[in-house]
Amino acid sequence: MNGGFSSFRSDVAGAMRTVLVSAESLQLTLKPELTQEEQALTQTSSKPKEAHKAGNEDLKEMLESNKESLKLEAMKRIVQLISKGKNASDLFPAVVKNVASKNIELKKLVYVYLVRYAEEQQDLALLSISTFQRALKDPNQFIRASALRVLSSIRVPIIVPIMMLAIKEAASDLSPYVRKTSAHAIQKLYSLDPEQKEQLIEVIVKLLKDKST
């Protein structure tokens, strides 16, 4: 009897180990992945452990510093946290303050963050909408595309006209990357306001004629 029970316990333990390994593998595959350009932006001189020890309060202080180098280091750490599946949404107010930075590297990282959390922090994102609109004219294609991605993540009906104009302009952008982003934004605008269907179809037709695959 004892031998049978021991065998049963052994089988159960083995099954549990298999389940845990499978769950761990699934968790790893679900972690948000950054694009190659986003990964390149997060190269930092600090060790990962130091970033973990610093905590969000220290990151907030760095973002509110007058030194661009500290702000840049903070954003690199924050984007690294996001890439590891950590929740950094509480940093949104401190991050969004730097969206108009003249430092292009810092601005890129800020938009990487905003694209992740704009939909979750819609009220705060809405306060910076004029900044996002100006960014649609930025010389850097990554910033233009990111600004459109942030705008299309704000699920508030009042900005539908702004989103529609942004999508139309992006569909005619010189950069294929920005034009591709406009295509991705179409479904988001339609889900927010289906009445925009006819205008969105016009944009789709235009994009289908695009020379870039």
Side-chain angles (χ1 to χ4, degrees):
M1 185 73 176
N2 290 337
F5 181 71
S6 297
S7 177
F8 172 75
R9 290 183 61 185
S10 178
D11 291 341
V12 170
M16 286 299 295
R17 282 195 295 271
T18 301
V19 170
L20 289 173
V21 169
S22 299
E24 184 177 2
S25 299
L26 177 59
Q27 183 179 13
L28 289 173
T29 59
L30 291 177
K31 288 183 178 180
E33 296 183 357
L34 301 179
T35 64
Q36 291 182 345
E37 183 170 1
E38 291 171 348
Q39 290 173 353
L41 290 171
T42 63
Q43 297 302 314
T44 174
S45 57
S46 298
K47 297 178 181 179
K49 289 184 178 180
E50 293 177 348
H52 179 69
K53 289 180 179 179
N56 288 354
E57 288 304 317
D58 282 353
L59 290 174
K60 288 179 182 177
E61 290 180 5
M62 292 171 71
L63 288 170
E64 293 172 356
S65 168
N66 292 324
K67 295 183 179 180
E68 289 288 309
S69 58
L70 286 179
K71 292 181 178 182
L72 185 58
E73 182 66 23
M75 283 309 307
K76 288 180 178 180
R77 292 182 184 182
I78 292 169
V79 174
Q80 284 181 342
L81 289 176
I82 295 173
S83 70
K84 295 175 183 177
K86 305 294 184 180
N87 184 4
S89 60
D90 61 314
L91 292 166
F92 195 96
V95 172
V96 77
K97 290 179 182 178
N98 295 285
V99 71
S101 172
K102 294 182 179 180
N103 184 309
I104 187 63
E105 188 176 1
L106 175 59
K107 186 186 290 188
K108 284 183 178 181
L109 287 169
V110 168
Y111 271 103
V112 169
Y113 176 93
L114 293 179
V115 166
R116 293 292 194 280
Y117 290 110
E119 189 166 353
E120 184 177 325
Q121 302 282 345
Q122 292 189 41
D123 291 340
L124 290 173
L126 198 57
L127 294 175
S128 300
I129 195 166
S130 61
T131 303
F132 303 144
Q133 285 180 275
R134 289 194 296 272
L136 294 170
K137 305 292 185 181
D138 196 277
N140 187 284
Q141 64 172 1
F142 180 85
I143 299 299
R144 296 198 301 279
S146 296
L148 179 56
R149 290 174 67 186
V150 172
L151 278 175
S152 62
S153 296
I154 303 175
R155 317 300 292 162
V156 181
I158 195 174
I159 72 165
V160 166
I162 295 175
M163 285 179 59
M164 176 58 77
L165 179 60
I167 289 174
K168 286 182 176 180
E169 292 183 349
S172 299
D173 197 280
L174 294 177
S175 166
Y177 178 66
V178 177
R179 297 199 298 274
K180 180 181 72 173
T181 304
S182 74
H184 291 167
I186 289 174
Q187 60 172 333
K188 290 190 175 183
L189 178 53
Y190 179 73
S191 65
L192 181 61
D193 185 3
E195 292 185 4
Q196 304 299 317
K197 179 179 178 180
E198 294 304 320
Q199 291 190 66
L200 290 175
I201 287 178
E202 292 177 7
V203 178
I204 292 174
V205 171
K206 179 181 179 64
L207 290 171
L208 286 174
K209 296 177 181 178
D210 200 293
K211 295 180 179 180
S212 171
T213 56

